[in-house]
Amino acid sequence: MADTASGDAFVAFERVQKSYDGETLVVKDLNLSMPKGEFLTMLGPSGSGKTTCLMMLAGFETATHGEIKLEGKPINNIPPHKRGIGMVFQNYALFPHMTVAENLSFPLEVRKIGKSDREAKIKRALDMVQMGDFGGRRPAQLSGGQQQRIALARALVFEPELVLMDEPLGALDKQLRESLQFEITNLAHELGITVVYVTHDQTEALTMSDRVAVFDDGRIQQLAAPDVLYESPENSFVAQFIGENNTLGGRIKQKSGETCVVELDSGEVIDAKPVNVKEVGERTLISIRPERVEIDPEALGPDAHTLKAEVKEFIYMGDTFRTRLSVAGKDDFIVKTRNRAGQARLQPGQTVHIGWLPQDCRALDA
Amino acid sequence: MTDATASPDKVTGPTPDNAIRDAERESGPMLAADGTPLKKSLARAQRRQKMRALGLVAPLLIFILITFIIPIGQMLFRSVENQIVPDTLPRTVEAVESWDASSGEPPSQEVYSAMARDLVVAEGLKIHTRVGSRLNYEAAGLSSLFRQAGRDVDETGEPFLDAFEESNEAWEEGSTWVSLLTTEEYQSEIAEWQARSDEVGRSFDEPAVDVAYREGFEEALPRTTDMFSDFAYVIGSEDGESPLEEEPWPLVYLSLYEDLEANPEAIELFEGEQRALVEEAMAATEGMGPYDYRAFFEEIDEEWLEPDIWETLQVFSGPYTSGYFLSAADRELTPDGVERVPENERIYGTLFLRTMYMSLAITFSCILLGYPVAWLLANLPLRTANVLMILVLLPFWTSLLVRTSAWKVLLQNQGVINDLLVWLNIVGDGNRLALINNQTGTIVAMTHILLPFMILPLYSVMKTIPPSYLRAAKSLGATNWTAFWRVYFPQSVPGIGAGSILVFILAIGYYITPEIVGGEDGVFISNRIAYHISTSLNWGLAAALGSILLALVLALYWLYDRIVGIDNVKLGG
């Protein structure tokens, strides 16, 4: 799942566990290592343990078991203020009684940096987030997006090598969020800093990160680059959680290396790519992305599977059409088609043939 | 407004669009659609709403006005009111005005005469002791002087009464006087009144009939009519008697003598038998006058010859006085102007100062003790915080007296704390600490009692400070202390402000606790006010002290507003 060879890793979690009440584990056996300069996102539903991991790294929570290492040195017993980790909070946490410049000056003052040096650094940090003229304002006089930029500048102004961000864009509207996502990734790469980013927004995770760690139930379900995560989910949770997904239940009939044969609950037999299944006879969930399904299966060539389907609903979405079909006894099978010239608009009740390539059809754990 | 068929673009009258355009062009007041200024239009629209809101608060407003603002206003008004002196001693106040206090001589006969008249009336109405008490605040001893004078003053002019009655027994009858002086109409009215009074008996409470004199009498016999009217009023209202059956005061006889001496022609007013009666009496008193009022007062008490008494009376003769406020500021009004009272009598300045610095000490102790508790309340898990909150509120549900008495048990010389200290060999049995009946006792007990008033506003402010600020500060490299001091503390200052105002203002006017545990040096100005209200009954001084206290609190509030800004004070949210 995760590479535990953490010898030269910049940040490493080794067999970390965390419990708040002594009865249940919030984080179960976490192993993770990050090279310097990586942008890693922890993605997962709420309660999955991702924020706890971030807080343990920042030093606000202590690990119940295991070790957290920074540059090879265990930091479990180092208080947060000595870790030198920058952090951006979900609600920005800008000090309301200080001006923007004073907020930025704070980390420099506690590090006993001289006045002229401080001013230069503050100016540089503010310019970096295009907020050069706002030094004299109070946080309450700024918009949400502006506050977030200041929070970012404050986390960067003392030049930390590692910056943690806890759902920093959660409170912003969509457009602002997208432009800030872009800015944050650019800044991170420009400055060469290592970033651990926590979010529950999968688009954000996919667009910003070098790697994404998908959390569920206190464990990392999959740690991989965004494209790998989307295209080759290793288990049904990841497949469900990242992007849209059609699932069909079935049982393995045959398995031989890169292919297997699955008998669906409705009796149809299809080929699939075995990912997370071991034995013949085991139950499995077949996962197919909606955009990999064709309503006109001839175009896919001879390898394609075809199934009969009945149109239940047709939704016009502008650039795409979403069609809900009844396939193999399930009513929630979605197909996405591009809005091409001459593309047929299906009517509910119509019967069609749909098809997909066997390699797009992944047999995962049930 | 305009022709309905007109194109909207050509409408030249006031339309909303045109109004806005006009307003922009001329930068005059914004106009509503009908051309009235927008502000006026808005005010009209909101008036109804405001009236409704006012209607909702009106019951409470009226209640507070009647039960709180008016009584307090009246009480505070007493601090300048001096109506009792000019009301009770009107003649004296007028007569003594022209007396030169710096002469060092007692005033003229005329002043003593006025005093005799005023005192006789006041004694008849039983109010002479009140004015004595009032003047006693300004010069000790006047109270007993007035009380004593009240006993003897009705004998003023006694020799004249005797001489009159010796000349003719008819002078002994009240009816003689009535028929001599008054109109026939009055005579019949008073006779009826007398009959009704006799019939009803003691519970008769019909007001006495105003005396109506015959024509020309009041001009010719001013003193006599004046005195006789007062006599009729006093016996009528106090005893339910009419002048028909009562022998008048000796002063009435004396007045008639004086009037006729001063204006011999007045004898022409009387006719026939009555004239003979009066002439007879005048003959009998020939050469007896003028009456020596001063000697009469000297006989009552030699003190009455002291110019000091008359000085006091002269200074405090007006209907309003600054005397109470001056006393409250340890000063007194003398004929030479305002002076400080002798050093051994200066108490209020010390008391005010003590009240201030002890209230500050209490406020400060409350901050020190309350801040950590409020912090715990705001940051502990809900369940624990609730238990703690009950502990904080518990004192509210216990009687103030019980709590204060508990401190008495704890702090006294043979009390729990001293016993414990002796048992632990920290202090010797011989020199137990004096923890009560002094300032320590007051500060300890009042800090405890006022602590919730500090904790609650602090808590409600701290509750609104998200923990992420402290985390952010730490992640930025601040130690726990720096994070607290630079980030958390400044944000809790509004709570400290609110708590301090509350505690300080409550402390400055506190009464019960200092009274019980304060002893001599631990009492506040409010205890002195209470003393004047309930023991010395000098309400004027109590009101003056109260007014100064109120002004002090308002001044401090204003100062606080200037320095901290009252907008920064939060009691919650």
Side-chain angles (χ1 to χ4, degrees):
Chain A
M1 209 187 304
D3 40 341
T4 42
S6 55
D8 57 344
F10 182 61
V11 177
F13 285 77
E14 290 175 5
R15 310 206 57 116
V16 171
Q17 292 185 317
K18 172 71 184 174
S19 170
Y20 285 106
D21 54 5
E23 284 167 18
T24 50
L25 284 171
V26 181
V27 175
K28 299 168 183 162
D29 193 27
L30 180 80
N31 292 289
L32 172 73
S33 74
M34 280 175 76
K36 204 165 182 162
E38 189 181 42
F39 196 120
L40 181 131
T41 298
M42 295 177 168
L43 175 69
S46 51
S48 60
K50 56 187 195 306
T51 300
T52 307
C53 283
L54 195 75
M55 290 301 166
M56 286 195 285
L57 185 52
F60 298 127
E61 301 289 353
T62 45
T64 313
H65 177 82
E67 240 170 30
I68 301 169
K69 287 183 178 171
L70 189 63
E71 288 184 295
K73 281 170 292 214
I75 55 169
N76 288 33
N77 294 320
I78 298 178
H81 66 271
K82 289 196 180 145
R83 295 192 182 188
I85 299 174
M87 185 149 181
V88 181
F89 290 83
Q90 186 174 10
N91 50 8
Y92 325 132
L94 292 175
F95 306 142
H97 58 293
M98 300 183 186
T99 62
V100 164
E102 284 165 351
N103 262 284
L104 263 67
S105 178
F106 184 83
L108 304 175
E109 279 169 42
V110 299
R111 286 179 170 74
K112 310 239 180 337
I113 291 173
K115 190 164 190 245
S116 54
D117 245 11
R118 275 203 315 255
E119 275 165 9
K121 279 173 196 271
I122 291 168
K123 192 178 175 326
R124 207 183 319 141
L126 283 178
D127 287 342
M128 211 158 61
V129 293
Q130 285 118 51
M131 295 285 289
D133 300 334
F134 291 85
R137 301 268 193 102
R138 298 247 169 201
Q141 295 168 307
L142 302 177
S143 70
Q146 290 172 329
Q147 290 190 34
Q148 190 52 72
R149 282 161 196 267
I150 300 301
L152 190 62
R154 189 177 66 174
L156 296 173
V157 70
F158 61 99
E159 293 158 12
E161 292 190 314
L162 174 62
V163 176
L164 313 181
M165 302 191 189
D166 182 11
E167 306 201 22
L169 307 179
L172 303 178
D173 62 63
K174 189 164 174 282
Q175 280 196 345
L176 202 54
R177 204 157 60 209
E178 278 166 6
S179 76
L180 273 169
Q181 282 168 9
F182 181 69
E183 272 185 53
I184 290 173
T185 31
N186 273 1
L187 260 178
H189 287 132
E190 252 168 59
L191 298 171
I193 50 173
T194 313
V195 177
V196 180
Y197 191 100
V198 164
T199 183
H200 60 257
D201 179 341
Q202 41 149 317
T203 332
E204 209 167 283
L206 294 180
T207 53
M208 294 176 83
S209 330
D210 295 328
R211 284 196 298 166
V212 178
V214 180
F215 274 72
D216 186 48
D217 192 25
R219 288 178 204 280
I220 294 181
Q221 301 292 334
Q222 187 170 4
L223 174 61
D227 54 338
V228 177
L229 209 60
Y230 187 80
E231 314 238 343
S232 326
E234 280 177 0
N235 59 37
S236 52
F237 174 78
V238 177
Q240 294 276 32
F241 193 71
I242 308 281
E244 246 187 313
N245 191 43
N246 291 311
T247 53
L248 296 169
R251 206 170 283 280
I252 308 281
K253 268 190 89 173
Q254 265 178 46
K255 187 175 175 246
S256 57
E258 286 302 288
T259 56
C260 64
V261 178
V262 176
E263 186 188 353
L264 297 180
D265 295 342
S266 55
E268 282 109 332
V269 176
I270 57 167
D271 286 337
K273 185 180 177 189
V275 178
N276 207 2
V277 285
K278 294 182 188 78
E279 296 159 37
V280 172
E282 197 182 338
R283 267 206 70 77
T284 182
L285 269 183
I286 301 291
S287 150
I288 315 141
R289 297 283 180 200
E291 69 274 16
R292 295 292 167 99
V293 182
E294 286 289 340
I295 291 180
D296 186 17
E298 281 78 47
L300 292 172
D303 295 340
H305 261 298
T306 48
L307 279 177
K308 237 190 185 173
E310 191 197 337
V311 178
K312 287 283 176 193
E313 199 176 2
F314 179 83
I315 304 162
Y316 179 80
M317 295 185 75
D319 56 342
T320 52
F321 301 146
R322 260 168 84 91
T323 316
R324 187 162 66 81
L325 302 160
S326 171
V327 175
K330 293 194 75 181
D331 268 352
D332 56 355
F333 199 95
I334 303 288
V335 176
K336 249 188 217 169
T337 40
R338 269 207 302 137
N339 184 359
R340 275 181 295 224
Q343 181 81 21
R345 300 190 183 182
L346 302 173
Q347 300 297 320
Q350 208 176 329
T351 307
V352 290
H353 282 280
I354 55 163
W356 57 78
L357 294 172
Q359 62 265 35
D360 290 331
C361 172
R362 299 167 66 83
L364 303 170
D365 57 316
Chain B
M1 218 181 326
T2 39
D3 186 359
T5 57
S7 138
D9 292 322
K10 302 220 174 101
V11 172
T12 49
T15 67
D17 281 356
N18 287 356
I20 291 166
R21 243 173 277 143
D22 283 350
E24 277 168 358
R25 198 164 39 236
E26 292 157 22
S27 72
M30 186 80 90
L31 298 180
D34 58 355
T36 53
L38 194 57
K39 270 198 175 147
K40 206 168 141 192
S41 190
L42 180 71
R44 196 179 331 139
Q46 288 180 339
R47 193 172 305 141
R48 224 181 115 80
Q49 246 178 322
K50 280 184 187 163
M51 293 306 284
R52 269 172 62 107
L54 193 68
L56 284 174
V57 297
L60 183 61
L61 205 65
I62 292 166
F63 178 77
I64 285 180
L65 198 72
I66 292 173
T67 60
F68 191 72
I69 294 176
I70 292 176
I72 283 190
Q74 276 189 338
M75 190 65 212
L76 294 184
F77 180 64
R78 282 172 186 270
S79 60
V80 292
E81 196 191 21
N82 193 41
Q83 208 71 47
I84 185 168
V85 178
D87 277 1
T88 321
L89 308 172
R91 301 178 185 85
T92 319
V93 163
E94 203 188 327
V96 84
E97 203 178 327
S98 54
W99 173 64
D100 179 13
S102 57
S103 66
E105 296 286 321
S108 63
Q109 288 286 355
E110 203 47 45
V111 176
Y112 283 98
S113 155
M115 178 59 97
R117 283 156 213 277
D118 285 337
L119 271 180
V120 166
V121 176
E123 195 273 336
L125 296 170
K126 302 187 176 64
I127 56 172
H128 64 292
T129 49
R130 277 190 231 165
V131 73
S133 308
R134 161 68 190 100
L135 290 169
N136 202 53
Y137 301 143
E138 312 301 343
L142 277 179
S143 179
S144 59
L145 209 57
F146 269 77
R147 203 174 314 118
Q148 189 189 16
R151 276 198 298 273
D152 300 337
V153 79
D154 56 348
E155 287 163 20
T156 326
E158 190 97 324
F160 286 82
L161 178 134
D162 294 342
F164 268 59
E165 289 179 357
E166 226 161 273
S167 72
N168 193 326
E169 278 183 6
W171 286 113
E172 284 173 28
E173 301 298 327
S175 53
T176 312
W177 283 94
V178 172
S179 58
L180 201 63
L181 298 173
T182 64
T183 59
E184 280 170 19
E185 204 173 39
Y186 171 76
Q187 287 169 24
S188 60
E189 250 178 80
I190 195 71
E192 282 166 32
W193 185 89
Q194 174 74 59
R196 286 198 296 275
S197 171
D198 289 344
E199 198 173 308
V200 175
R202 295 195 60 159
S203 60
F204 184 74
D205 59 354
E206 204 175 305
V209 187
D210 279 343
V211 186
Y213 295 100
R214 284 197 252 162
E215 209 182 325
F217 273 54
E218 274 171 292
E219 292 76 38
L221 306 169
R223 286 178 169 229
T224 318
T225 50
D226 180 35
M227 244 14 248
F228 192 76
S229 293
D230 278 346
F231 164 71
Y233 173 73
V234 168
I235 59 163
S237 58
E238 287 297 306
D239 313 323
E241 300 282 359
S242 80
L244 283 171
E245 298 193 336
E246 284 284 307
E247 181 189 76
W249 299 324
L251 256 175
V252 178
Y253 296 83
L254 177 55
S255 297
L256 182 59
Y257 167 79
E258 282 173 349
D259 277 337
L260 288 170
E261 280 288 293
N263 179 17
E265 265 129 61
I267 198 86
E268 305 291 337
L269 290 169
F270 302 106
E271 281 164 7
E273 264 179 49
Q274 289 184 342
R275 181 162 176 168
L277 189 68
V278 174
E279 276 173 347
E280 210 177 340
M282 285 310 283
T285 52
E286 180 82 61
M288 277 176 72
Y291 185 71
D292 193 350
Y293 291 96
R294 199 187 297 165
F296 176 76
F297 272 93
E298 191 181 0
E299 208 172 296
I300 295 174
D301 197 312
E302 283 178 9
E303 284 276 319
W304 282 108
L305 293 196
E306 296 291 328
D308 286 358
I309 290 168
W310 301 97
E311 231 177 79
T312 310
L313 207 65
Q314 196 176 41
V315 169
F316 295 99
S317 61
Y320 299 102
T321 178
S322 56
Y324 294 120
F325 274 105
L326 290 169
S327 311
D330 287 339
R331 278 159 178 78
E332 61 186 349
L333 199 58
T334 65
D336 308 329
V338 177
E339 281 175 15
R340 297 199 68 175
V341 298
E343 206 151 337
N344 57 346
E345 289 173 25
R346 290 176 200 164
I347 50 170
Y348 299 114
T350 327
L351 263 177
F352 270 116
L353 272 181
R354 184 199 292 162
T355 307
M356 297 289 279
Y357 78 68
M358 282 181 65
S359 298
L360 277 178
I362 290 159
T363 310
F364 199 69
S365 327
C366 280
I367 297 173
L368 280 185
L369 295 176
Y371 199 93
V373 179
W375 190 84
L376 273 181
L377 273 173
N379 290 287
L380 281 178
L382 198 62
R383 187 185 292 254
T384 331
N386 278 343
V387 173
L388 199 60
M389 181 59 105
I390 287 175
L391 290 181
V392 169
L393 291 177
L394 203 61
F396 273 138
W397 305 330
T398 322
S399 148
L400 179 63
L401 268 173
V402 170
R403 277 178 284 157
T404 308
S405 309
W407 278 111
K408 220 169 168 139
V409 173
L410 287 171
L411 295 176
Q412 60 184 274
N413 207 12
Q414 301 297 324
V416 178
I417 290 175
N418 262 318
D419 283 350
L420 199 69
L421 290 177
V422 170
W423 185 70
L424 291 171
N425 278 326
I426 293 175
V427 296
D429 201 11
N431 38 17
R432 285 168 172 256
L433 302 177
L435 297 172
I436 204 164
N437 296 333
N438 56 19
Q439 301 192 358
T440 320
T442 306
I443 291 176
V444 168
M446 281 189 53
T447 301
H448 166 238
I449 283 158
L450 295 178
L451 201 53
F453 295 99
M454 180 63 80
I455 292 175
L456 292 177
L458 264 178
Y459 162 72
S460 64
V461 168
M462 285 179 176
K463 198 79 187 153
T464 63
I465 306 175
S468 65
Y469 287 134
L470 272 182
R471 289 189 162 179
K474 285 186 209 166
S475 81
L476 293 171
T479 58
N480 283 339
W481 170 251
T482 315
F484 165 75
W485 183 246
R486 298 252 342 247
V487 175
Y488 195 85
F489 182 77
Q491 295 186 61
S492 67
V493 163
I496 295 182
S500 299
I501 286 194
L502 213 58
V503 168
F504 186 81
I505 289 179
L506 281 172
I508 211 173
Y510 230 68
Y511 158 66
I512 295 177
T513 307
E515 184 75 22
I516 296 176
V517 298
E520 270 289 289
D521 347 311
V523 295
F524 281 9
I525 191 71
S526 44
N527 299 88
R528 200 69 198 167
I529 295 176
Y531 165 78
H532 284 307
I533 290 280
S534 58
T535 309
S536 82
L537 300 183
N538 188 353
W539 285 21
L541 184 55
L545 290 170
S547 305
I548 292 176
L549 195 60
L550 184 63
L552 257 172
V553 170
L554 290 179
L556 284 171
Y557 187 80
W558 175 81
L559 202 69
Y560 184 91
D561 186 32
R562 288 294 301 269
I563 297 170
V564 183
I566 220 69
D567 305 339
N568 284 334
V569 169
K570 280 191 212 156
L571 285 168

